Amino acid sequence: MYQVWSLYYGEFLALGFWGIVLTLARRILFGGLCREATLDNGEKGRMLKAMTLKFEKSYEVKVGIHDIPVFVKKYLCQERRFGIRLCRWRQLPERWTGIVLGAGFVEAVILRFLGFGGTFCLNRFLAGAAAAAVVRVSSLWFESESLWEQAEICLLDYVANTLYPRQMHVYDSFAEETAEPQESAETPEEHPGQKRGIVLEKEEEKLFQEVLSDFLGSST
């Protein structure tokens, strides 16, 4: 019995087991991500601290953030866990399911082409399909998409209602301070009723007097 199981299902049992491990890992990972994106007793989690730093750096290099949802999604997709981007973690167990099913089908076709019996090839394909089904069921059972959406909502709320208003306040007050000296500097064009006298420097005044004395002396 053991030899039959190892012959037909051994490798696919291992592939199915790893698929379940990936599903559980994604669930745990997204649960931690959700906790990092929430304010716990007013304290920032790891994700909020990193988001704050990235947001402030964007304004320091004068890169305006016009679409907050796109900013948050791009940040989440660029984050890595265990060397894998979070956007790939979202689809990793499902892709593993396709890989296992495809491996069973390809193996069955190759074995049949090499002359193995039809029953043996069919059992190998069914073993791959069973392993893929187990991984798919586990991914549905340990659903993690809701955790991803919850983390995304928390980050959107934090950026839109905390970071963005605070940053706008800082830059608006800075703009008002820089605008005050310009408003106080009045020009003759702004106030045509006021005449502003010509002010000469000492060297210019001395030169003007010499030219004027020469002109008056030559006219007499």
Side-chain angles (χ1 to χ4, degrees), residues 75-134:
Y75 175 78
L76 284 173
C77 290
Q78 290 177 345
E79 277 291 297
R80 293 177 180 270
R81 293 294 187 275
F82 305 105
I84 302 174
R85 295 185 185 275
L86 289 178
C87 59
R88 294 184 178 178
W89 271 108
R90 294 181 68 182
Q91 304 297 331
L92 193 57
E94 288 75 15
R95 291 181 178 179
W96 188 260
T97 301
I99 291 173
V100 174
L101 183 61
F105 177 77
V106 172
E107 183 180 0
V109 172
I110 293 175
L111 291 176
R112 183 58 179 170
F113 179 77
L114 295 176
F116 286 83
T119 304
F120 178 77
C121 296
L122 179 61
N123 287 334
R124 293 295 290 178
F125 172 72
L126 292 177
V134 169

